[in-house]
Amino acid sequence: MSEARVTRDGLAGVHPGREARFGNGLDDGRRPRERRMVPGAEFTSYYGRPVLKVPSWAARDIAGYMFLGGLAGAGSALAAAAQLTGRPATARALKLSSLGAISLSTAALVNDLGRPARFLNMLRVAKPTSPMSVGSWLLAGYGPAAGLAAASAATGLLPRVGTAATLAAAGLGPAVATYTGVLLADTAVPSWHEAHRELPHPFAASAATAAAGMALLAGPRRENGPARGVAALAAGAEALALRSLLTSAGHAAEPYRTGRPGRLLTTAKRLAFLGTAGATLLAGRNRAAAAVSGATLLAASAATRFAVFHAGIASARDPKYTVLPQRLRLRAEGGAPPATA
Amino acid sequence: MTTEETTGQQPPRVGFFTDTSVCIGCKACEVACKEWNLVPEDGLTLTGMSYDNTAALGASTWRHVAFVEQTKPLGGQQAHQPHADLDVLALAARGSATPVDEAAITPTTPGPPTADGRTELRWLMASDVCKHCTEAACLDVCPTGALFRTEFGSVVVQQDVCNGCGYCVPACPFGVIEQREGDGRAFKCTLCYDRLGAGQEPACAKSCPTESIQFGPLDELRERAERRVAQLREGGVPDARLYGADPDDGVGGGGAFFLLLDEPEVYGLPPDPRVTTRDLPTMWRHAALAALTLLGGIAAAHRVFGRKR
Ligand code: SF4
Ligand code: SF4
């Protein structure tokens, strides 16, 4: 047994031993060989078990949180633009939907905590190294602004405060929509982290898709010109951003193409295509077509977020996506790993 | 009372050097950890993974002994020696008076050279633990400040602060920290914070019968580890290497590091772990760019498509 003690002058009573020799004396004359190398693209694992811990986040809560946060944030920006360009009905509808979405998304976040009663501990510190801390403070600023903007729009009271809140929400909203990309990327989960530069971009585009969809769904037809434009822009940007995400994720892009996330992403692309087609071709003429296109775009945005969420979970479950990129990186940086590092 | 309070100095950074080459897989560390820290039972299943029924580190497993069976030689070890011509009963009757050269099985007797094509088997055992990273991702991302760095340089969760957001769980590049089911909060090795404060070494190191788990000031452990690795290589174990000992690695070096006899992934460890916080400035820049693009896109759409009818 170890008798070591921690004393003021350091460690005392340490055994001199620990020098068991199983190389010496057992050596059959073969002197130290070259280190064995792992060949090709093979990888080793411990009984196929994941290296990482899979987050216990529920898809409905966390992917839902990201979708709703995007809808709210981009919606606030769209609402301000609508208000400033004389589209009051759309502005009002978007302010209400943003308040609803951010309330729901906060509820989802709290619901996902292991200790929901301790939610306010999120505001105990402000840590720029923690995207979740940054996000909590963003929400703490954005939520009340969105609330005031919506309350003023709904009641007609305090128009000046309402306008100020609308602008504040429009300024913070895009950050609320994109920080969730950083939230996911700042983890060891391969399909999220390997594309850490790209992830915020599809999130921004997907948020704009959702907000445009909401404007088409809830705003009057005569005001929906810009929303149709945003829908087309956002859907195009999202397709491009997703493509660059898949390119840069390397091996960790595979989960985006297979299984449930693969199916979700395909669905998202199809819905976005249909929604955009409807928005650009029909929504200017027909109110019902505008509403259907809007709902389709909302569904497309949600599907994208769920696809990204599930791809990350799948990549964390399989040791291949953790070990292989790291092995390749080591090999690229100078052959075998340094023997003493 | 901490060492700091009694001496008025910052105590040296302490940690573990786990020398897996002398681990015998007794799991005394697992048991001692559970006992001392009152860690609850977390399943009594049979995994079929050699002698490892613990499976992995987690919320309720803070030391985990891995068992790897390989058809690889261990430093020239001779397996399958022919013993047909030995009268073991006669040898046994002579007891400890048996000369080493005549003994049927002694680990110190060099056997004849192995014939080509003969399978050799080795059994690797390694006690894994939280690495107490110099740049700890779990600590960086914790939004409540529940995770903190102690005066001993270890990384510890304050259970009365953690709100179970679960962010530290996917952040750890080693898959160490986890939320406990039914409790919701995150748990992991504390490097026996309470014992350190009382001048005691951690329970696992205390219980380890072979001193595979060595506790002490990090600098000293690193020197000792260098010597040990050189000794093993000299003795014909070319695959011996240190893992997590280099302060220039992706997590700034571990407060707990290891001597391994094969690639890290064989033991379930990531070969090149990196703290993702290092990329955080880049990520924030891209998020800001994306947010501005979003605003710009909306503004542009209103200019182009927003003509009044
Ligand atoms: S090994 Fe994981 S849990 Fe331990 S300090 Fe490092 S990041 Fe945190
Ligand atoms: S689960 Fe607890 S320890 Fe982990 S990041 Fe959240 S608050 Fe911090």
Side-chain angles (χ1 to χ4, degrees), chain A residues 227-245:
Chain A
R228 286 156 50 210
V230 170
L233 269 182
E238 188 174 334
L240 288 177
L242 281 172
R243 182 175 299 181
S244 87
L245 182 142

Side-chain angles (χ1 to χ4, degrees), chain A residues 269-283:
Chain A
K269 280 182 197 155
R270 288 190 185 145
L271 288 174
F273 177 77
L274 288 176
T276 316
T280 41
L281 303 177
L282 306 171

Side-chain angles (χ1 to χ4, degrees), chain B:
Chain B
M1 196 166 21
T2 65
T3 316
E4 196 177 1
E5 277 159 343
T6 51
T7 62
Q9 299 165 4
Q10 174 82 16
R13 181 171 179 199
V14 291
F16 289 128
F17 164 39
T18 306
D19 177 355
T20 70
S21 69
V22 292
C23 178
I24 55 170
C26 71
K27 304 189 196 180
C29 50
E30 286 190 10
V31 177
C33 175
K34 283 243 179 196
E35 289 273 334
W36 179 264
N37 293 299
L38 300 173
V39 179
E41 180 245 298
D42 58 346
L44 298 167
T45 47
L46 295 177
T47 61
M49 294 160 22
S50 190
Y51 273 60
D52 178 6
N53 291 314
T54 312
L57 290 174
S60 301
T61 305
W62 300 351
R63 270 274 176 194
H64 162 233
V65 183
F67 289 76
V68 180
E69 293 172 21
Q70 290 179 321
T71 45
K72 276 187 183 179
L74 174 72
Q77 171 180 284
Q78 303 297 309
H80 302 283
Q81 292 293 329
H83 300 304
D85 53 343
L86 277 170
D87 185 350
V88 285
L89 293 177
L91 288 171
R94 284 157 67 184
S96 55
T98 308
V100 168
D101 286 348
E102 287 173 38
I105 305 159
T106 59
T108 49
T109 311
T114 318
D116 277 339
R118 178 180 284 166
T119 26
E120 294 176 289
L121 182 104
R122 70 171 178 175
W123 208 6
L124 303 179
M125 284 151 271
S127 180
D128 195 9
V129 72
C130 167
K131 319 306 177 280
H132 294 278
C133 309
T134 308
E135 293 171 49
C138 61
L139 191 161
D140 285 341
V141 305
C142 173
T144 63
L147 274 154
F148 77 112
R149 192 171 300 279
T150 71
E151 66 274 32
F152 300 103
S154 52
V155 178
V156 175
V157 190
Q158 300 174 79
Q159 298 304 345
D160 54 340
V161 175
C162 172
N163 70 7
C165 73
Y167 199 14
C168 50
V169 176
C172 171
F174 301 95
V176 169
I177 194 165
E178 190 185 30
Q179 283 166 273
R180 188 174 288 161
E181 229 163 291
D183 181 295
R185 293 173 299 171
F187 292 85
K188 71 169 193 73
C189 161
T190 69
L191 204 80
C192 282
Y193 192 29
D194 50 348
R195 292 177 61 94
L196 295 195
Q200 294 285 319
E201 69 180 321
C204 55
K206 185 82 178 168
S207 71
C208 177
T210 63
E211 296 201 351
S212 168
I213 301 175
Q214 302 173 27
F215 170 80
L218 206 52
D219 303 340
E220 212 178 293
L221 290 180
R222 283 185 179 147
E223 277 170 36
R224 194 185 299 161
E226 289 294 345
R227 286 201 300 275
R228 175 66 179 158
V229 118
Q231 182 194 41
L232 284 175
R233 292 226 184 115
E234 184 58 30
V237 191
D239 279 347
R241 89 270 322 263
L242 296 183
Y243 177 78
D246 181 0
D248 296 325
D249 73 11
V251 298
F257 64 95
F258 303 80
L259 187 154
L260 304 179
L261 300 177
D262 205 334
E263 306 286 6
E265 54 266 43
V266 168
Y267 299 87
L269 296 163
D272 186 25
R274 299 240 169 131
V275 56
T276 48
T277 325
R278 284 190 188 168
D279 299 319
L280 198 52
T282 314
M283 293 184 234
W284 282 132
R285 271 199 296 282
H286 278 277
L289 182 66
L292 288 176
T293 313
L294 174 54
L295 269 182
I298 287 175
H302 279 79
R303 261 200 102 75
V304 178
F305 305 102
R307 284 170 305 249
K308 289 239 162 177
R309 310 196 176 168

Side-chain angles (χ1 to χ4, degrees), chain A:
Chain A
M1 298 295 137
S2 162
E3 290 302 325
R5 292 178 313 280
V6 187
T7 70
R8 285 178 199 186
D9 308 317
L11 213 61
V14 188
H15 281 199
R18 313 155 169 157
E19 311 229 321
R21 287 162 191 258
F22 50 82
N24 275 359
L26 279 172
D27 198 354
D28 55 5
R30 288 174 293 184
R31 294 317 301 170
R33 281 149 294 194
E34 277 303 297
R35 300 160 45 77
R36 282 172 286 272
M37 307 272 249
V38 187
E42 281 176 25
F43 78 101
T44 324
S45 77
Y46 184 68
Y47 299 97
R49 295 191 58 94
V51 172
L52 304 173
K53 281 275 173 300
V54 180
S56 68
W57 295 335
R60 190 200 58 190
D61 287 343
I62 297 304
Y65 165 75
M66 296 186 299
F67 162 66
L68 291 168
L71 169 61
S76 287
L78 204 54
Q83 179 167 338
L84 295 177
T85 58
R87 294 181 169 80
T90 302
R92 186 162 164 274
L94 283 173
K95 287 176 195 176
L96 292 174
S97 77
S98 283
L99 176 60
I102 205 65
S103 309
L104 261 180
S105 89
T106 310
L109 187 68
V110 174
N111 183 50
D112 200 62
L113 293 178
R115 291 285 169 108
R118 294 187 179 174
F119 171 63
L120 285 177
N121 280 8
M122 290 284 190
L123 303 181
R124 198 178 151 267
V125 289
K127 279 172 77 174
T129 60
S130 168
M132 199 179 280
S133 172
V134 172
S136 302
W137 285 102
L138 265 177
L139 281 186
Y142 169 81
L148 269 181
S152 170
T155 60
L157 298 173
L158 302 174
R160 285 196 185 187
V161 175
T163 306
T166 302
L167 292 178
L172 290 172
V176 171
T178 57
Y179 98 87
T180 43
V182 182
L183 183 85
L184 295 188
D186 190 25
T187 62
V189 174
S191 290
W192 294 338
H193 185 72
E194 296 289 318
H196 63 264
R197 286 182 192 81
E198 287 74 19
L199 208 49
H201 299 288
F203 274 37
S206 161
T209 308
M214 183 53 87
L216 289 173
L217 181 62
R221 186 181 58 80
R222 74 193 127 73
E223 288 184 6
N224 74 10
R228 286 156 50 210
V230 170
L233 269 182
E238 188 174 334
L240 288 177
L242 281 172
R243 182 175 299 181
S244 87
L245 182 142
L246 292 191
T247 312
S248 60
H251 279 278
E254 210 173 275
Y256 287 102
R257 298 200 175 97
T258 47
R260 175 147 57 149
R263 286 194 300 276
L264 276 167
L265 212 52
T266 310
T267 309
K269 280 182 197 155
R270 288 190 185 145
L271 288 174
F273 177 77
L274 288 176
T276 316
T280 41
L281 303 177
L282 306 171
R285 278 175 263 158
N286 183 313
R287 181 70 186 82
V292 172
S293 315
T296 311
L297 289 169
L298 280 166
S301 171
T304 304
R305 306 296 181 123
F306 277 83
V308 171
F309 181 86
H310 283 297
I313 300 291
S315 74
R317 279 215 178 98
D318 190 336
K320 174 167 89 176
Y321 300 116
T322 309
V323 173
L324 204 51
Q326 294 189 17
R327 252 304 140 215
L328 295 175
R329 186 163 73 203
L330 281 176
R331 229 173 276 166
E333 282 171 10
T340 55

